[in-house]
Amino acid sequence: MGHHPVHAGTTKEARERDDLQRRLQPLLDGHGVDADFSGHIHNFQHIRVPGSDVEYFVNTSASLTREVVRHDGAQFASPDAGFSLCSLSETELITTFVNGDGKIVYQHTRTKSR
């Protein structure tokens, strides 16, 4: 988990992500990390980058939201305000994006064998 996203579709400066992609992404990939969670962009995003097995999730905020900018690896994106809920078992990671009205706007399940 971190504040700044490694990958995100955003109007914010690319340099915020370029350094993380250069320095952090190889560590995440090299150590078999399943998911990376961040914020900072103020919208919901789920991104899969070609050549990487890491699921990148960006959490919105309960206040100010920002427009969604398309990202090549986008699996889902929404400008809704809300929160993320993560459920974890020995074999599953379920990430749920919930908007301010309490409605599930997206859910993703990542399953691994034991």
Side-chain angles (χ1 to χ4, degrees), residues 13-89:
E13 291 186 43
R15 67 180 175 84
E16 292 182 350
R17 291 168 307 287
D18 290 345
D19 186 50
L20 291 171
Q21 290 169 16
R22 189 178 77 257
R23 294 170 33 162
L24 183 58
Q25 184 173 342
L27 293 172
L28 298 175
D29 289 334
H31 291 281
V33 172
D34 294 312
D36 176 74
F37 292 88
S38 62
H40 190 62
I41 304 302
H42 294 261
N43 57 40
F44 288 124
Q45 296 184 42
H46 173 206
I47 295 170
R48 289 294 309 262
V49 177
S52 175
D53 288 330
V54 180
E55 309 272 356
Y56 292 95
F57 294 98
V58 180
N59 184 54
T60 186
S61 67
S63 59
L64 169 75
T65 61
R66 292 195 173 94
E67 69 180 273
V68 172
V69 175
R70 188 75 182 147
H71 186 282
D72 288 341
Q75 305 299 299
F76 176 81
S78 169
D80 283 349
F83 61 93
S84 296
L85 173 67
C86 296
S87 302
L88 185 65
S89 74

